[in-house]
Amino acid sequence: MSHYISITEAERAEMLAAIGVQGVTDLFADVPEALRFPELKLPPALSEIELRRELGAMSNQNANANSHSIFLGAGAYNHFVPSAVDQILRRSEFYTAYTPYQPEISQGTLQAIFEYQSLICAMTGMDVANASHYDGATALAEAAIMAVNSTRNRRTVLVAPSVNPQYRAVLRTYLQGTGIRVRGDENPHATLDEVLALADNTTAAVLVQSPDFFGTLHDLKPLVARAHAAGALLVAHFDPIALGLFQSPGEAGADLATAEGQPLGIGLNYGGPYLGMFACSEKLVRKLPGRLAGATLDVEGRLAYVLTLQAREQHIRRENATSNICTNQGLMALAAAVHLSLLGRQGLRRVAELCYHRAHYAAAELGKLPGYRVEDRGAFFKEFVLHCPRPVAEINAALREHGIVGGYDVSQDYPDMPNAMLLCVTEMNSKAEIDVLVDELRAS
Amino acid sequence: MNTYEPPIFELSAPGKIGANLPALDVPAAELPANLLRSDDLAAMPELSETEVMRHFTRISQRNYCIDTGMYPLGSCTMKYNPKIHEEAARYAGFAGAHPLQDEQLSQGALRLMYELQTLLGEISGFDAVSLQPAAGAQGEFTGVLVFRAYHLSRGDTERNEILVPDSAHGTNPATAAMVGMKVIEVQSGPRGNCNLEDLKSKLSPRTAGLMLTNPNTVGLFEQNVREVAELVHAAGGLMYGDGANFNAILGIVKPGAAGFDFMHYNLHKTFTTPHGGGGPGSGAVGCTAALAPFLPGPRVEQYMQDGKPAYRFFTPAQSIGRVKSFWGNFGMLVRAWTYIRTLGAAGLREVSETAVLNANYLRVKLQGTYPAAYNRTCMHECVLKGQLAEAPQARTLDIAKRLIDYGFHPPTVYFPLIVPEALMIEPTETESKQNLDAFVEAMLKIADEARADIEILHQAPTTAPVRRLDEVRAARQPVLKYDAAKFAQLREEGSARARELATPRT
């Protein structure tokens, strides 16, 4: 009997007698006999001691933020996570609770969601934020669908080629059965102006990212004006860390705003679980996908929180729902709420400054190396493109020997950018670490 | 103990910070003035670490959770979440690995994913597995997209209908609609099973597939599963298996052998990765060899390098594309791998046998008082009706709320939609007989109370941190973020309500 089972053999016999069957196998008479009790060819069960050894060995085979200096971003970021964040996530009360459908005994989760929504609104300047999506990519894809559902007879979305290539791939997957067209990134180097020039009376939304995939910051205000002039909505995908210093989607006038929330208190986790952040303007709230917590009162007049406006959701509206989303990334939204509360107004700004200034220091130093050149794509935040004298894979193989995870090989997605490395510098990369990177590249 | 905790914004005071950050050690670069934000983040709170910890710890205590009690939520499989899982997922090489680092630097993570693909395939009887979908609904979405791609690849361009039983979870029809499919509802038969005649009448050359939950949402095994699959296949359609109820059939039956072409696994149900108050989940999917080329990528494959097995990503030839960034909710995959390796084949079968035993025990103990929707052996959950003889005014909602006062999380209520006043009870395999008996006792007491004085139920819960909520106010005057003025108004209304209650009625 496994150590998770709490029923003794004697109790089992007693229960079977109460049910009126001889043995537990009798309970499966409805399963066609020919299919019943197949052999499962699985490796033998392991004790906890053996599990730790096996898992420890697999873990030790992976480079990670403790073992290596990481200068890789491209959608997943090595940011500081205060110890307090995980201490909260480890509380059984949060992580072993279900979705708060019984609000009287779920006020902890509901208040956390409400505060998460509030913090996202405070930081983005948007009116409403939902309780989360799977990740930044799916948040952006669902924003495109929501934009189409919020406009009339407009079945095209424009996406800038500077939006993360994985996000654009997910967008196309999401839309493949809908008849909604995706345009704008046919030319991989089209500028935002060129993308906006395509907006017409069939355009439901324009999807832009700032800082974009290459780290470049954009002024979204004129883009919003142009999208609106064409009758389209503007969807802004942002980096929450950049909002410590730079223009928020709300002040730019964006209609919808999405982000990868992983930089807010969530580890790299080899790609997940992450956090899809999703916010919109007040007038679009009835089309919003996902869960929403709201404040209300109980029968005695106490302040309390509850899931609300559920008439948008699949368990009520079924095929007429705004989305099929059910399970989201609740615990990751809690991580973001705790993280934002710890950083607060000052901390958010200071982390953004550390990223900005260290990235600019790294770019300046790397740009001095013979054979290397930092591409001038305008103002940037924490990522920038470094043109190298050799293929990125070769350079990264050399860096690997020195405990450094180098930047992203841009040519994987932009074939006409050979030897281009997308480097990422955050508050985790000290000046000393940056200097080592510069020295290794000089030597290699 | 008063556990009320104000919104975090009301604890803020200028000048505080809750994080210990490094000093700037490089020269400051010039900032682009036209791109700076103009509000100086004035709406963000400012608190010390001490205050943040106390705030979130206090609000956590206003939650019910598995580690404090039984959670018999039908269709949600709220079983115990093992602690080794939490430790393992936090090992530095898992929690701190960058998803885009070289495959050579990620062999342990890739091996774990490869092994989990293989383990899930074996348990379910499928040839290929993708770990990418983030949740059950995204697994469904993946499946319907794969069906679409499969039909189109064969030049079968007219298949735009998905059949969904009337007992299905809401995600099934919502998913089909998201893929641009027309949803056709199939009626349930007298045993809660698929009505074969109705199914036959709805199958056509436009049928892309049928989405079937088995065991179904009334907790019964679809005895006719092979006949259903034969009918769907004969019409040129495909069989989608909603794996929400997979916990009942580990080592009992393989869906891949029962005629299903595709299914999703809710790793956050059957394989006990924690629910986290709503997520993250993981909706890994498995399918037959015929559908494997369409799976989302990348998946992981094994190859030989210097005579030793090594692992790498590959994207299936006719893949529908990515459904999310990177490779899936990897942290959940670590936990699921650990669970399967902890239990092995015999342990997994014991899970399902005990889950089914526990559910049937509750059924026989309760059905004399709460009528069973279907009077027969159930699988891992039983569906009863909150319709009490001699207490016709009792409602399922009131019974559920009264359970809270007895220290239990209520079952799933009013689902499935085809059962009036449904109480869907899934105890899971990890509950003790002592707990099951205590739950039975509470349910029977509630029935007595309903007969004696229905007001006891109407007033419930009275022992939770708050009592029943004004959901109408929440929806009609939405307060979806902190706003000092709106909170002042809420408090004023609250005080008025409290005064009204304190005034003796004449």
Side-chain angles (χ1 to χ4, degrees):
Chain A
M1 194 169 81
S2 102
H3 60 300
Y4 302 143
I5 301 284
S6 314
I7 287 175
T8 66
E9 283 309 316
E11 288 169 337
R12 197 175 288 263
E14 210 182 311
M15 292 164 73
L16 288 167
I19 297 165
V21 293
Q22 294 290 312
V24 77
T25 55
D26 296 341
L27 298 171
F28 298 99
D30 279 351
V31 178
E33 202 174 347
L35 304 176
R36 222 183 286 159
F37 307 127
E39 186 194 356
L40 301 186
K41 294 192 190 75
L42 300 178
L46 298 177
S47 69
E48 189 158 323
I49 297 166
E50 294 163 314
L51 283 166
R52 279 191 181 149
R53 278 191 200 127
E54 277 281 310
L55 286 156
M58 283 194 286
S59 167
N60 287 338
Q61 283 184 291
N62 306 323
N64 60 75
N66 288 357
S67 66
H68 283 64
S69 292
I70 296 185
F71 289 95
L72 177 59
Y77 299 99
N78 183 29
H79 281 291
F80 169 58
V81 181
S83 301
V85 175
D86 196 47
Q87 291 298 323
I88 295 296
L89 296 199
R90 280 173 183 256
R91 288 199 67 90
S92 290
E93 294 90 335
F94 282 129
Y95 85 86
T96 79
Y98 193 68
T99 306
Y101 289 134
Q102 296 289 342
E104 299 89 346
I105 45 173
S106 311
Q107 285 296 303
T109 297
L110 285 161
Q111 186 167 347
I113 297 172
F114 182 84
E115 292 182 357
Y116 164 80
Q117 292 170 185
S118 305
L119 288 159
I120 300 311
C121 290
M123 143 183 237
T124 59
M126 301 297 289
D127 298 328
V128 186
N130 76 7
S132 73
H133 282 262
Y134 309 135
D135 63 10
T138 63
L140 185 65
E142 294 231 24
I145 294 171
M146 176 175 158
V148 170
N149 293 338
S150 304
T151 52
R152 279 185 192 187
N153 302 322
R154 290 170 177 259
R155 304 280 296 170
T156 302
V157 295
L158 299 176
V159 63
S162 57
V163 170
N164 184 316
Q166 289 203 4
Y167 300 176
R168 288 184 283 125
V170 171
L171 175 70
R172 287 190 159 85
T173 305
Y174 264 64
L175 298 183
Q176 62 190 245
T178 62
I180 299 168
R181 284 181 69 198
V182 182
R183 290 184 62 202
D185 61 347
E186 295 83 357
N187 166 9
H189 301 292
T191 64
L192 294 183
D193 278 341
E194 288 163 351
V195 174
L196 260 300
L198 299 171
D200 60 21
N201 62 6
T202 66
T203 310
V206 185
L207 280 49
V208 298
Q209 183 178 0
S210 176
D212 65 23
F213 181 64
F214 303 101
T216 308
L217 290 154
H218 299 280
D219 181 3
L220 299 185
K221 278 182 191 159
L223 307 179
V224 170
R226 287 182 62 186
H228 287 178
L233 302 176
L234 190 110
V235 181
H237 191 86
F238 61 94
D239 172 354
I241 300 294
L243 297 191
L245 278 173
F246 298 105
Q247 187 188 68
S248 71
E251 65 189 331
D255 303 284
L256 291 133
T258 59
E260 175 50 70
Q262 177 268 331
L264 298 178
I266 301 166
L268 287 163
N269 291 326
Y270 202 56
Y274 286 177
L275 170 66
M277 290 168 46
F278 195 117
C280 69
S281 63
E282 186 87 54
K283 63 178 190 289
L284 299 175
V285 65
R286 303 273 163 181
K287 299 286 183 190
L288 186 68
R291 296 178 185 140
L292 277 172
T296 187
L297 299 169
D298 79 352
V299 291
E300 292 182 11
R302 279 178 291 219
L303 193 60
Y305 306 90
V306 68
L307 292 179
T308 192
L309 302 181
Q310 295 186 72
R312 303 164 294 110
E313 293 187 67
Q314 49 77 26
H315 61 285
I316 310 286
R317 289 291 294 284
R318 299 176 76 85
E319 63 265 37
N320 296 315
T322 53
S323 164
N324 71 340
I325 191 167
C326 180
T327 292
N328 58 21
Q329 302 288 114
L331 199 68
M332 303 296 104
L334 172 66
V338 178
H339 189 76
L340 286 171
S341 301
L342 289 164
L343 289 182
R345 184 183 187 183
Q346 288 185 51
L348 197 57
R349 185 185 173 99
R350 280 178 55 192
V351 169
E353 285 171 347
L354 283 163
C355 292
Y356 182 87
H357 295 306
R358 283 178 173 174
H360 282 75
Y361 171 75
E365 294 301 308
L366 291 165
K368 292 177 194 163
L369 293 177
Y372 288 83
R373 177 176 63 86
V374 174
E375 184 171 323
D376 182 5
R377 301 181 69 98
F380 67 92
F381 176 48
K382 66 185 181 193
E383 288 180 280
F384 56 90
V385 175
L386 180 70
H387 288 279
C388 306
R390 294 188 287 143
V392 173
E394 279 178 34
I395 293 173
N396 279 342
L399 290 175
R400 196 158 76 201
E401 301 305 312
H402 301 280
I404 296 171
V405 174
Y408 184 76
D409 184 350
V410 177
S411 70
Q412 295 175 80
D413 306 291
Y414 300 83
D416 61 344
M417 293 175 75
N419 305 353
M421 180 188 275
L422 180 66
L423 274 161
C424 176
V425 181
T426 73
E427 76 281 11
M428 299 299 281
N429 305 108
S430 65
K431 175 176 181 294
E433 218 174 84
I434 296 167
D435 290 342
V436 170
L437 171 72
V438 175
D439 288 346
E440 293 302 340
L441 285 180
R442 184 183 290 119
S444 74
Chain B
M1 191 170 79
N2 177 16
T3 61
Y4 171 75
E5 178 67 9
I8 197 156
F9 297 88
E10 295 181 357
L11 302 171
S12 168
K16 289 189 278 193
I17 182 167
N20 178 8
L21 298 168
L24 189 62
D25 54 0
V26 297
E30 198 183 329
L31 291 165
N34 63 321
L35 295 172
L36 297 179
R37 71 183 290 154
S38 56
D39 64 354
D40 200 22
L41 292 158
M44 294 299 289
E46 298 177 77
L47 295 93
S48 69
E49 180 179 325
T50 316
E51 293 170 300
V52 173
M53 278 305 291
R54 190 166 287 165
H55 173 75
F56 284 101
T57 304
R58 279 179 60 84
I59 68 171
S60 81
Q61 293 178 327
R62 291 163 71 80
N63 261 7
Y64 189 91
C65 69
I66 296 174
D67 283 349
T68 52
M70 181 169 158
Y71 228 119
L73 264 177
S75 145
C76 302
T77 313
M78 292 296 283
K79 59 169 85 176
Y80 174 68
N81 300 137
K83 302 310 155 194
I84 177 77
H85 295 188
E86 298 310 303
E87 179 180 305
R90 286 170 170 88
Y91 286 169
F94 297 143
H98 193 292
L100 297 172
Q101 67 194 27
D102 290 349
E103 289 174 356
Q104 291 302 321
L105 293 175
S106 314
Q107 284 296 299
L110 287 165
R111 186 186 130 200
L112 185 140
M113 292 172 70
Y114 177 77
E115 290 185 3
L116 184 60
Q117 288 173 186
T118 310
L119 295 168
L120 290 173
E122 172 61 19
I123 295 166
S124 57
F126 285 111
D127 300 307
V129 169
S130 167
L131 303 172
Q132 199 173 59
Q138 207 186 26
E140 293 174 28
F141 181 67
T142 301
V144 180
L145 279 176
V146 165
F147 284 11
R148 180 178 175 274
Y150 170 81
H151 292 308
L152 289 178
S153 77
R154 294 154 46 93
D156 207 349
T157 56
E158 304 301 312
R159 296 194 180 270
N160 63 355
E161 293 180 356
I162 290 283
L163 274 50
V164 178
D166 54 9
S167 58
H169 297 114
T171 50
N172 291 178
T175 295
M178 247 177 112
V179 180
M181 295 278 180
K182 198 172 153 196
V183 179
I184 310 286
E185 199 168 88
V186 182
Q187 287 165 11
S188 300
R191 288 172 142 191
N193 294 357
C194 205
N195 180 329
L196 291 180
E197 290 312 311
D198 193 51
L199 174 64
K200 279 180 204 163
S201 75
K202 284 168 180 168
L203 286 165
S204 81
R206 294 182 304 281
T207 304
L210 168 72
M211 298 180 86
L212 193 67
T213 309
N214 195 17
N216 62 22
T217 59
V218 293
L220 302 182
F221 192 84
E222 183 70 58
Q223 293 165 284
N224 297 324
V225 59
R226 285 182 302 182
E227 289 79 355
V228 169
E230 276 166 27
L231 286 171
V232 171
H233 288 151
L238 295 164
M239 286 283 288
Y240 185 93
D242 182 324
N245 294 340
F246 197 39
N247 204 49
I249 55 169
L250 302 168
I252 308 297
V253 52
K254 294 184 179 183
F260 287 96
D261 299 290
F262 196 105
M263 79 173 268
H264 75 260
Y265 317 86
N266 297 90
L267 299 188
H268 51 291
K269 295 182 181 178
T270 317
F271 299 94
T272 196
T273 77
H275 276 72
S282 174
V285 293
C287 68
T288 59
L291 296 181
F294 304 95
L295 280 175
R299 299 173 54 216
V300 182
E301 65 184 1
Q302 191 183 54
Y303 66 104
M304 296 307 281
Q305 189 183 44
D306 307 327
K308 279 189 270 180
Y311 305 89
R312 65 186 171 206
F313 288 114
F314 76 102
T315 297
Q318 294 161 276
S319 175
I320 58 161
R322 289 186 163 279
V323 296
K324 83 183 282 302
S325 298
F326 309 119
W327 334 121
N329 278 341
F330 178 76
M332 303 298 119
L333 308 182
V334 175
R335 292 167 171 94
W337 182 98
T338 307
Y339 188 61
I340 296 169
R341 293 305 319 271
T342 298
L343 295 179
L348 290 176
R349 181 166 158 181
E350 184 187 47
V351 163
S352 291
E353 288 182 345
T354 312
V356 173
L357 174 75
N358 286 358
N360 277 289
Y361 182 69
L362 290 184
R363 179 180 59 82
V364 297
K365 290 286 182 182
L366 290 172
Q367 68 186 3
T369 308
Y370 296 89
Y374 300 92
N375 187 17
R376 54 186 287 110
T377 305
C378 64
M379 298 298 279
H380 65 306
E381 62 195 4
C382 61
V383 179
L384 307 178
K385 297 181 202 171
Q387 294 171 333
L388 293 165
E390 299 157 47
Q393 67 281 52
R395 290 285 169 273
T396 282
L397 179 71
D398 302 318
I399 295 161
K401 296 300 183 194
R402 186 61 179 152
L403 267 173
I404 293 172
D405 285 333
Y406 285 103
F408 292 97
H409 193 284
T412 296
V413 292
Y414 298 104
F415 185 83
L417 307 176
I418 55 170
V419 177
E421 299 292 320
L423 280 159
M424 187 193 212
I425 305 171
E426 180 182 5
T428 83
E429 73 281 4
T430 54
E431 287 309 316
S432 67
K433 179 168 177 294
Q434 204 172 1
N435 277 348
L436 300 176
D437 286 334
F439 178 76
V440 169
E441 198 185 328
M443 288 290 284
L444 298 182
K445 263 192 204 162
I446 292 169
D448 287 341
E449 288 172 345
R451 290 184 201 107
D453 180 4
I454 193 70
E455 267 310 294
I456 298 173
L457 272 64
H458 287 164
Q459 292 300 316
T462 57
T463 58
V466 294
R467 293 188 53 200
R468 288 199 207 182
L469 300 186
D470 189 343
E471 301 197 16
V472 173
R473 193 197 190 282
R476 294 226 176 119
Q477 295 161 266
V479 180
L480 304 175
K481 63 178 175 187
Y482 181 69
D483 177 307
K486 286 184 182 171
F487 267 64
Q489 194 195 334
L490 267 171
R491 288 190 170 110
E492 205 173 295
E493 280 176 39
S495 302
R497 253 183 224 199
R499 277 195 303 275
E500 205 177 302
L501 280 178
T503 313
R505 285 184 197 155
T506 49

